Amino acid sequence: MDDKTIDWRTKLTPEAFKVCCEKGTERAFTGAFWDHSEVGTYYCVCCDTPLFRSDTKFDAGCGWPSFFEPLRDEVIREAKDTSHGMVRVEVMCDNCGAHLGHVFPDGPPPTGLRYCINSVSLTFHN
């Protein structure tokens, strides 16, 4: 995480800390937002930056919230991830550096992208 002055262990749940600060992953089909369908905006759990609109969310069948585009390109930072013997593209909140999940090139039109995001890295507001 970028902001070293915040004690993230006191601000986040243990699972959110593991995901956002230690680049962990929540178990599929267990997060609060994998099948969430309310209209609104998803925000970074760490810094409250708006990240995704509900009208870009889709059911990818993977067990994690999936979006075909971020609210704005500038809110997401990408980095090559070679952990676990795979080559993937990690996505992070550009404001605070929190690990959000990964982006894959198998999403629907118009972008063809699937931002596969951990629920614990998000909050939601209508």
Side-chain angles (χ1 to χ4, degrees):
M1 301 279 298
D2 294 343
D3 190 343
K4 304 300 183 200
T5 62
I6 296 175
D7 183 359
W8 291 110
R9 286 188 194 274
T10 62
K11 178 176 168 59
L12 303 173
T13 66
E15 187 174 20
F17 181 85
K18 180 179 169 119
V19 169
C20 297
C21 300
E22 299 177 338
K23 301 181 187 277
T25 302
E26 67 191 4
R27 289 184 304 124
F29 303 103
T30 63
F33 300 125
W34 76 270
D35 65 348
H36 186 254
S37 60
E38 290 183 47
V39 175
T41 303
Y42 295 87
Y43 294 77
C44 176
V45 72
C46 297
C47 68
D48 213 34
T49 295
L51 299 172
F52 300 97
R53 288 189 330 261
S54 60
D55 62 355
T56 65
K57 188 174 186 291
F58 67 99
D59 182 4
C62 63
W64 290 278
S66 297
F67 304 88
F68 60 79
E69 70 182 351
L71 191 66
R72 293 180 317 280
D73 289 339
E74 310 85 55
V75 300
I76 298 292
R77 182 186 317 168
E78 296 183 359
K80 185 177 181 180
D81 177 3
T82 58
S83 64
H84 307 292
M86 298 178 272
V87 177
R88 301 176 290 175
V89 177
E90 176 189 8
V91 291
M92 296 155 282
C93 174
D94 192 54
N95 185 55
C96 71
H99 171 76
L100 303 172
H102 293 86
V103 61
F104 302 96
D106 60 0
T111 64
L113 298 174
R114 174 174 56 99
Y115 289 86
C116 186
I117 307 298
N118 291 283
S119 288
V120 296
S121 69
L122 302 171
T123 60
F124 178 81
H125 304 285
N126 291 357

